[in-house]
Amino acid sequence: MNKTKAPQISTLEAVIVLLVVLGIMSAGVIGWGLSPQVPVLLAMGVVTAWAMLRGFPWSAVNAGIKEGIDKGIVPIFIFILIGAMISTWIAAGTIPTLMVIGFKIINIQWFLPSVFIVCTLVGAAVGSAFTVTSTVGIAFFGMGVTMNLNPALVAGAIISGGIFGDKLSPLSETNNLASAVADTDLFTHIKHILWSTLPAGLISLGLFAMLGHSSTETSLAKINQTVAVLNGHFSISALALLPIVLVFVCAGFKMPAIPTMLLNIFISAGLILFEQPELSLAKLTAIINTGFVSKTGNTSVDTLLSRGGIVSMMSMVALIVVTLSLGGLLVKFGLINQIMTPVAKHLNSDGKLVLAGVLTCIGVNVFVGEQFLSIILPGRAFRQAFNDGGLSGNALGRVLEDGGTVINYLVPWGVGGVFLTTTLGVPTVLYLPFVFFSLLCPVISVISGFTGVGMAHLNQRTAVKTKHVTATEV
């Protein structure tokens, strides 16, 4: 039986299709302020129509969609669990207790740098910027809003700290993925990315200290009123902090995210029933499913703490499905590789390799919107080019983190960007200028590439051996 050969796509054609895709998504999300699901779905439809006109069989379209979605099954389930965890943490008094404690121990005039530091420490412990933002991040955000600080600036401090901590943690999924793709030891990988993450973190801390510090007296009236409302309507106690302790314990035992969250939701639900024995099982399941609804009578508190639930993540799930479907199609039809592979073959210096790698990771984030693919696709495309250029896998791993991992949170239609917007209620385009850590990492990485500072090279024997093996295999 004769097999139909796949149509040959030129680089120019690939560029045109990708620019159309980018134009549709950016015009819809940024230009017209639409929810990202529809523009991404429209872009997916345009790519599908182009593929059919170019002679790709429907089986290829179907396979691309399936292969794309397959990568998102676990993240989808994790986000569903995060929705349930948020609502149970609020109902159990965990997040309200964090807010009350925070108002008492954090210096109001140094609020933003304090938030950045705490989120960094929590992120390093649990290895997930998503978890940081959706737990302690909500508490800090509520405090910042109560203090009349710019919500986008507060969100920037929370997100920057969470990502910085994530990059320091051996429990981070993206750290493990990047080190695996670059074929390096995990702890060596983390040590090497400090060349960019540590300067970015310190500069971010300084910027938050400058922007967030005020010599004027912050009115304590609203803060005291908020604390009184929280004390009057929620269970504020040391016991309410048990779910947070559980997160750290599970992290210490290196328990995976899904069982950690399931156990946490179960314990939090038990706390709710212990604190409110009159609560029916139907109402408890409603909190888990549709979210917690605050009814304190205080508009600010009710707005901040009416959130969470499985249903709240369904929009996020829809975005993941359509985004990964679009990414699967772009990969299946060779549109991304058609651009990445030729570029990787014509780079003749460390600086050019690093710059091209960072820009490619950013490009995959922009076109596909998925964090893991922004690591995997450029990693595959540039691995041989880095070896041939004498750069070690540690150098590649840092590029994948600085251009891939940290940038996904800044893409309005990206999985990270939409999650943070859903969780904190601040549009991506508003908090983006204040996520200093994510903005600084790629810049520092490129500077490192051109100056040679912190770059990891293969020793001469390894480089020669690698080239010889490659030539032999070819």
Side-chain angles (χ1 to χ4, degrees):
M1 176 181 264
N2 293 330
K3 292 185 177 180
T4 305
K5 295 183 67 174
Q8 295 297 309
I9 307 301
S10 68
T11 301
L12 177 60
E13 186 176 8
V15 169
I16 293 173
V17 174
L18 290 177
L19 287 177
V20 170
V21 167
L22 178 61
I24 292 172
M25 295 191 296
S26 59
V29 178
I30 300 176
W32 295 329
L34 304 177
S35 297
Q37 289 84 349
V38 174
V40 174
L41 188 62
L42 177 59
M44 180 182 166
V46 169
V47 172
T48 301
W50 164 83
M52 301 302 290
L53 290 173
R54 286 290 279 112
F56 284 95
W58 175 252
S59 59
V61 176
N62 199 36
I65 293 174
K66 287 182 177 179
E67 291 168 8
I69 294 176
D70 183 63
K71 297 179 178 66
I73 298 301
V74 173
I76 285 174
F77 190 56
I78 288 176
F79 287 136
I80 289 174
L81 293 180
I82 287 176
M85 197 165 75
I86 290 173
S87 59
T88 53
W89 274 35
I90 297 174
T94 303
I95 289 176
T97 297
L98 282 174
M99 291 179 66
V100 172
I101 294 174
F103 280 128
K104 292 181 179 179
I105 66 174
I106 289 182
N107 188 318
I108 300 301
Q109 293 184 348
W110 295 98
F111 177 73
L112 289 179
S114 301
V115 167
F116 177 79
I117 292 172
V118 173
C119 287
T120 296
L121 294 175
V122 177
V126 302
S128 171
F130 291 110
T131 301
V132 173
T133 307
S134 58
T135 52
V136 295
I138 293 178
F140 283 135
F141 186 76
M143 293 170 61
V145 172
T146 301
M147 295 161 55
N148 293 320
L149 294 175
N150 180 355
L153 183 56
V154 177
I158 294 167
I159 298 166
S160 290
I163 302 172
F164 185 24
D166 185 308
K167 293 304 97 207
L168 300 175
S169 176
L171 301 178
S172 167
E173 290 185 344
T174 52
N175 276 345
N176 280 275
L177 177 62
S179 64
V181 170
D183 194 21
T184 63
D185 172 71
L186 173 62
F187 290 95
T188 304
H189 167 77
I190 293 175
K191 180 180 178 180
H192 188 72
I193 63 175
L194 288 177
W195 283 101
S196 55
T197 57
L198 193 57
L202 293 175
I203 295 172
S204 298
L205 178 60
L207 290 172
F208 287 123
M210 287 190 295
L211 291 174
H213 178 62
S214 175
S215 58
T216 59
E217 285 294 325
T218 301
S219 174
L220 296 178
K222 189 174 181 181
I223 294 176
N224 292 333
Q225 181 185 19
T226 300
V227 170
V229 170
L230 293 174
N231 278 311
H233 293 83
F234 294 91
S235 177
I236 309 298
S237 65
L239 184 62
L241 298 178
L242 180 59
I244 291 183
V245 175
L246 183 62
V247 169
F248 283 94
V249 171
C250 292
F253 283 101
K254 297 183 179 180
M255 186 179 293
I258 290 178
T260 295
M261 291 180 179
L262 285 170
L263 180 60
N264 208 295
I265 293 168
F266 178 77
I267 295 297
S268 299
L271 273 178
I272 295 171
L273 293 176
F274 176 77
E275 296 162 353
Q276 306 175 52
E278 74 285 357
L279 190 71
S280 67
L281 189 60
K283 289 184 178 179
L284 176 61
T285 55
I287 290 173
I288 295 173
N289 185 45
T290 59
F292 180 81
V293 179
S294 176
K295 298 179 181 178
T296 66
N298 183 293
T299 304
S300 298
V301 173
D302 290 342
T303 300
L304 287 169
L305 297 182
S306 293
R307 61 181 67 219
I310 294 173
V311 173
S312 70
M313 290 294 163
M314 288 303 101
S315 177
M316 182 74 186
V317 169
L319 177 69
I320 294 175
V321 170
V322 296
T323 299
L324 289 178
S325 297
L326 174 61
L329 293 177
L330 296 179
V331 172
K332 189 69 175 179
F333 302 143
L335 291 166
I336 292 180
N337 283 336
Q338 186 63 32
I339 296 176
M340 290 197 312
T341 304
V343 170
K345 291 179 178 178
H346 296 88
L347 302 172
N348 53 12
S349 72
D350 292 358
K352 290 179 181 179
L353 276 169
V354 172
L355 176 61
V358 167
L359 291 178
T360 301
C361 291
I362 294 174
V364 174
N365 265 315
V366 171
F367 287 110
V368 181
E370 210 285 318
Q371 194 176 53
F372 288 175
L373 289 180
S374 72
I375 295 173
I376 295 171
L377 295 179
R380 289 174 178 172
F382 282 88
R383 184 170 175 177
Q384 190 58 51
F386 270 62
N387 283 337
D388 291 344
L391 291 175
S392 76
N394 289 316
L396 175 61
R398 176 149 66 100
V399 166
L400 300 179
E401 296 273 25
D402 292 339
T405 302
V406 305
I407 297 298
N408 189 259
Y409 304 96
L410 307 183
V411 180
W413 50 83
V415 173
V418 174
F419 173 81
L420 296 175
T421 295
T422 302
T423 302
L424 298 178
V426 181
T428 307
V429 292
L430 294 184
Y431 72 64
L432 185 154
F434 302 111
V435 186
F436 302 125
F437 181 79
S438 290
L439 296 173
L440 287 166
C441 278
V443 175
I444 295 173
S445 195
V446 171
I447 292 174
S448 174
F450 280 101
T451 61
V453 177
M455 294 303 299
H457 291 81
L458 295 165
N459 59 54
Q460 187 174 1
R461 180 179 297 177
T462 305
V464 171
K465 182 179 179 181
T466 302
K467 292 181 182 180
H468 175 71
V469 170
T470 304
T472 303
E473 289 176 349
V474 173

